[in-house]
Amino acid sequence: MTRAGFVACHQWHLLDRYDVLSVARPGATVLLNAPHPPEQVFGHLPREVQEAAIAKSVRLFTIDAAAVAREVGLGSRINVVMQAAFFALSEVIPRAQAIEKIQDTIRKTYERKGPDIVKRNLDAVELALTRIHAVPLPSRATAAHVRPPAVPAAAPDFVRRVTAMMIEGKGDLLPVSAFPPDGTWPTGTARWEKRNLAAEIPIWDPEFCIQCNKCALVCPHAAIRAKVYEPEPLSVAPDGFRSQDFKSRELPGLKYTIQVAPEDCTGCTVCVQVCPGRDRSNPKHKAINMVPQPPLREVESRSFEFFLGIPELDRAQLTPDVKSTQLAQPLFEFSGACAGCGETPYLKLLSQMFGDRLLIANATGCSSIYGGNLPTTPWTTDRDGRGPAWSNSLFEDNAEFGLGLRAGVDAHERHARAALREIAARVGDELAGPLLSGMPATEEGIREGRERVARLRAALAGIDAPAARRLAAIADYLVPKSVWIVGGDGWAYDIGFGGLDHVLATGRKVNVLVLDTEVYSNTGGQQSKATPLAASAKFAAAGKGSPKKDLGLIAMSYGHVYVARVAMGAKDAQTVRAFAEAEAHPGPSLIIAYSPCIAHGYDLAFGPRQSKLAVDSGQWPLYRYDPARDARGEPPLQLDAGKPTVSPLTYMRNEARFRMAEIVDPARFRGLLQAAAQHTAHRVAIYEQLAGIRVGTDVGPPPPAEPEPAPAGKE
Ligand code: SF4
Ligand code: SF4
Ligand code: MG
């Protein structure tokens, strides 16, 4: 049993989720970061925590670390505040000596980020020491409020028995027999883990909404959704549920709602940033506005539950444009990705466009962690229990793994067809004929195909033949599947590149989605070959000296690969178009997606704005290369962004990864900037030739790379 002498809880809401004091020994020191005045802290604790604190006679202390961080200009960064409080209370080394060491470390760690950041952190230490308060323990517990169960009572049996234990951090206590014996894991479990992270959530004001659905598109957590539906369910809507008429000539008489999932929203505000609907008389008031979550939690949760129960629009009625894609149920929801993550909106979009027929091979990296990390799984199913099949493979073999999925699907389809041909006469031509001649991979084609397969299964039950039994097991493979190979830049550009290249060369029909954060995000920000010139990253602290590898151009060189470079925050319609074209292309496709990431060093609420600057400054060209155009005698490459309209420096100055390189070595940074401009011009010249814009011009050799500076102390 753990018997800790010091226990700290840095996030108040975790006291409701975990049995925090179970690890404290009698008389332990307990430090809470609390948003309440010291005299009210005990009263706000859940009853179990109060009882445990009294029973163990702990020394209870509180600090409002968020207020301290805010006051010294550190925003929401409370790490230094809590660190100072820990050393002040724990006495693991003498207090004065500890504080001196923290101050030294701050000076060393933040020196590169500038004197202002150093000062703010030193101020945080000083202020923290004056804001620690002892909380006296009364003789008995007073709270009426108890810790809620880890998952609601309505959760499925497995989630209550197994997932809930893991959510509470007690997974080690589960017996082996609790786990599925075949290694599969139930999907759709993230919806039961209510993280309640957001202090504020977006609330919809229908009066100013233009029904663009951009809020739903960019939300990294599928925590704000749009739905179009028949009016009937509204007669039993709970109080506070909002709706309006859906403005559409094609689908008249329907209702429209934007609804937030209050307990799953992370409060990142990306949705509010992109919302174009606003009150003209008060432009600060938009069609969605951030509002404190706690008073609205219950009423909005009820509204979200009701919203989920309203039948979805038939997918066959949806067209592949931004607005329509967001009317499809997302089958990727509530992942544990960072607030404001720029990767997850692409996966959500993927699930909305091809969701229930997706097979995903996911390389190790951020997307495998938030995509399949226990205890919960964000990939989920629709009302009929259909959803993507997902699995993770290694960094070094994920493309091959995805190719294996494709080969497996194709082999099953071949066997299914052979068996069906064998017994076609007994099944009947009316049923076997259309199944053997194949079906279009459209929503309608797939729905018809599935209905035929259901009828086929019924017919097979009455046929006593080995081919009928074989076919019954694999008949679903007569309906087209969509195979996607997904991963980050560390996988695609570096560690898995050889395999990716091999898979693209095969010409097999697989789609590759690279979530490009331009750095190894999951392992702490090491440079990859996708890191751009002049950006600082681990192993390139003074700014990377070589240009970003042009993965798209390498793939284009085969001639048979569909290639697109997209940035959802800059041009969402181009992203949706690229996804649809990639899936329609008969061979391999590669989509490289600009993905804002915390490693870039800015508030991700502005991810879409920064994506646009990346495009407008020429740092992230948007294009689609379609071999079909080549076959028609047209230039195969289509440039989807105009000539740069802002300087690269305008884009770079917003991100700490570039600012840090400038601070470390300003002269070198100026040189890197120049090199970056030359490389951009060289790359644009190549693209313009492929796009038929620049004909017969010599684009010349690429500029040389800057050597990396030698590590300190070495030649
Ligand atoms: Fe989604 Fe962030 Fe908006 Fe919450 S604040 S609904 S997580 S985009
Ligand atoms: Fe309405 Fe704003 Fe959402 Fe567009 S982004 S649908 S205007 S709330
Ligand atoms: Mg990455």
Side-chain angles (χ1 to χ4, degrees):
M1 187 179 200
T2 315
R3 292 167 58 83
F6 186 94
V7 176
C9 183
H10 290 205
Q11 298 291 340
W12 180 261
H13 69 270
L14 296 182
L15 289 163
D16 263 344
R17 282 180 63 191
Y18 301 108
D19 188 1
V20 172
L21 292 196
S22 66
V23 296
R25 72 168 182 231
T29 301
V30 176
L31 170 65
L32 306 177
N33 170 22
H36 309 290
E39 63 281 6
Q40 292 178 16
V41 164
F42 190 83
H44 280 284
L45 290 171
R47 191 172 182 92
E48 295 88 338
V49 182
Q50 289 187 340
E51 285 171 352
I54 294 168
K56 294 186 177 187
S57 301
V58 301
R59 296 168 60 226
L60 188 60
F61 292 89
T62 178
I63 183 170
D64 187 348
V68 173
R70 256 193 325 269
E71 281 174 45
V72 298
L74 285 178
S76 56
R77 293 188 181 84
I78 60 163
N79 55 329
V80 166
V81 181
M82 293 305 287
Q83 189 188 39
F86 165 75
F87 279 108
L89 290 172
S90 67
E91 292 164 8
V92 286
I93 48 176
R95 179 175 169 142
Q97 194 189 341
I99 300 305
E100 205 177 299
K101 294 263 182 230
I102 296 176
Q103 289 166 333
D104 282 351
T105 310
I106 286 173
R107 287 188 195 97
K108 275 190 212 131
T109 313
Y110 298 116
E111 189 187 5
R112 285 190 181 152
K113 296 196 173 175
D116 182 41
I117 301 288
V118 172
K119 180 173 181 317
R120 287 185 212 179
N121 281 281
L122 291 175
D123 289 350
V125 174
E126 221 169 278
L127 195 56
L129 297 176
T130 68
R131 296 284 180 85
I132 304 166
H133 301 280
V135 177
L137 297 181
S139 54
R140 57 186 186 80
T142 53
H145 136 245
V146 294
R147 272 180 53 222
V151 297
D157 174 63
F158 181 85
V159 173
R160 279 185 282 118
R161 272 189 307 107
V162 181
T163 313
M165 287 282 280
M166 295 165 82
I167 288 174
E168 286 194 275
K170 295 178 180 166
D172 284 353
L173 303 179
L174 285 166
V176 172
S177 57
F179 295 90
D182 64 354
T184 59
W185 201 260
T187 53
T189 50
R191 72 172 61 168
W192 302 108
E193 184 183 25
K194 297 300 178 196
R195 296 192 295 156
N196 277 305
L197 292 179
E200 294 191 331
I201 53 170
I203 294 295
W204 186 46
D205 185 343
E207 191 182 341
F208 304 107
C209 180
I210 58 167
Q211 302 188 350
C212 63
N213 292 351
K214 284 186 190 289
C215 49
L217 176 77
V218 298
C219 176
H221 294 88
I224 190 161
R225 301 190 183 183
K227 196 175 265 191
V228 168
Y229 50 95
E230 299 286 347
E232 282 70 39
L234 287 178
S235 59
V236 291
D239 284 348
F241 186 78
R242 300 168 201 83
S243 69
Q244 64 176 193
D245 290 340
F246 182 46
K247 297 165 195 148
S248 163
R249 249 181 263 143
E250 296 78 32
L251 300 169
L254 299 179
K255 292 289 179 183
Y256 175 85
T257 291
I258 291 283
Q259 177 63 50
V260 69
E263 298 182 289
D264 302 293
C265 166
T266 63
C268 71
T269 77
V270 177
C271 55
V272 176
Q273 295 296 333
V274 301
C275 174
R278 60 181 75 227
D279 177 358
R280 288 219 182 111
S281 63
N282 173 19
K284 277 198 181 148
H285 184 80
K286 291 190 159 194
I288 36 173
N289 301 281
M290 297 305 283
V291 176
Q293 189 249 33
L296 290 173
R297 188 187 293 179
E298 251 178 62
V299 68
E300 290 301 322
S301 294
R302 257 199 315 274
S303 287
F304 186 63
E305 275 310 306
F306 175 74
F307 176 93
L308 288 180
I310 300 174
E312 305 285 336
L313 215 58
D314 178 0
R315 289 178 65 95
Q317 285 179 278
L318 305 176
T319 45
D321 56 63
V322 172
K323 187 169 165 172
S324 282
T325 59
Q326 296 313 301
L327 297 175
Q329 181 188 354
L331 298 176
F332 177 84
E333 60 182 13
F334 317 139
S335 78
C338 301
C341 172
E343 293 189 354
T344 46
Y346 293 108
L347 296 171
K348 180 164 62 76
L349 177 66
L350 196 63
S351 81
Q352 288 168 304
M353 292 182 71
F354 318 112
D356 61 354
R357 58 180 188 279
L358 275 176
L359 272 84
I360 298 172
N362 205 134
T364 295
C366 281
S367 52
S368 71
I369 303 303
Y370 59 64
N373 199 15
L374 295 183
T376 59
T377 316
W379 294 99
T380 189
T381 54
D382 62 15
R383 275 189 164 200
D384 301 328
R386 290 185 187 280
W390 181 96
S391 193
N392 159 232
S393 193
L394 301 175
F395 242 155
E396 58 269 33
D397 69 2
N398 186 57
E400 297 92 319
F401 176 60
L403 182 65
L405 291 185
R406 174 83 266 165
V409 167
D410 291 350
H412 280 315
E413 187 191 343
R414 262 196 324 274
H415 290 307
R417 284 168 170 277
L420 182 54
R421 267 194 296 272
E422 220 177 299
I423 53 167
R426 296 175 72 179
V427 167
D429 261 0
E430 178 266 329
L431 188 54
L435 282 170
L436 282 171
S437 56
M439 62 203 72
T442 58
E443 291 299 334
E444 217 149 328
I446 283 169
R447 192 179 52 199
E448 275 175 24
R450 283 182 178 155
E451 282 165 9
R452 283 203 185 95
V453 166
R455 281 194 281 136
L456 174 68
R457 282 188 189 288
L460 291 174
I463 301 173
D464 185 20
R469 284 190 288 278
R470 279 202 315 276
L471 183 53
I474 54 174
D476 281 341
Y477 288 92
L478 293 167
V479 181
K481 307 268 186 278
S482 182
V483 177
W484 286 76
I485 301 173
V486 172
D489 48 287
W491 159 68
Y493 285 70
D494 284 10
I495 297 176
F497 173 70
L500 174 62
D501 177 57
H502 169 73
V503 169
L504 294 177
T506 63
R508 297 288 288 263
K509 178 156 177 46
V510 291
N511 305 297
V512 179
L513 174 62
V514 181
L515 303 162
D516 192 347
T517 61
E518 307 195 309
V519 76
Y520 284 81
S521 304
N522 189 46
T523 47
Q526 295 80 8
Q527 67 162 327
S528 76
K529 288 187 201 74
T531 305
L533 248 166
S536 172
K538 283 189 183 147
F539 307 125
K544 184 157 167 271
S546 55
K548 183 182 177 86
K549 170 162 144 182
D550 199 333
L551 186 63
L553 200 55
I554 295 171
M556 284 180 222
S557 69
Y558 283 114
H560 63 255
V561 183
Y562 176 92
V563 188
R565 201 155 157 178
V566 304
M568 180 188 282
K571 211 169 187 182
D572 47 21
Q574 189 250 5
T575 303
V576 170
R577 200 157 171 192
F579 274 46
E581 288 177 353
E583 170 61 6
H585 178 60
S589 76
L590 171 71
I591 297 177
I592 305 168
Y594 182 85
S595 305
C597 170
I598 53 166
H600 298 174
Y602 65 95
D603 181 348
L604 289 183
F606 303 109
R609 191 181 74 185
Q610 195 58 8
S611 307
K612 188 161 174 356
L613 276 177
V615 171
D616 290 348
S617 63
Q619 301 308 294
W620 190 273
L622 298 179
Y623 60 69
R624 285 165 298 133
Y625 176 97
D626 191 346
R629 276 198 289 267
D630 206 13
R632 291 196 299 267
E634 298 165 18
L637 186 68
Q638 196 143 319
L639 300 180
D640 292 324
K643 290 211 179 288
T645 52
V646 297
S647 87
L649 208 54
T650 311
Y651 160 69
M652 291 175 177
R653 284 264 154 85
N654 287 341
E655 300 193 3
R657 58 177 170 157
F658 296 108
R659 285 200 307 271
M660 276 176 72
E662 190 174 13
I663 290 168
V664 171
D665 188 341
R668 179 179 147 82
F669 185 71
R670 277 194 297 279
L672 292 178
L673 267 187
Q674 238 173 17
Q678 284 173 354
H679 274 281
T680 303
H682 182 255
R683 203 181 48 209
V684 167
I686 295 174
Y687 292 165
E688 287 185 345
Q689 277 206 345
L690 284 166
I693 297 169
R694 181 191 294 246
V695 182
T697 319
D698 179 10
V699 296
E706 281 280 312
E708 302 288 346
K714 295 206 179 134
E715 279 304 300

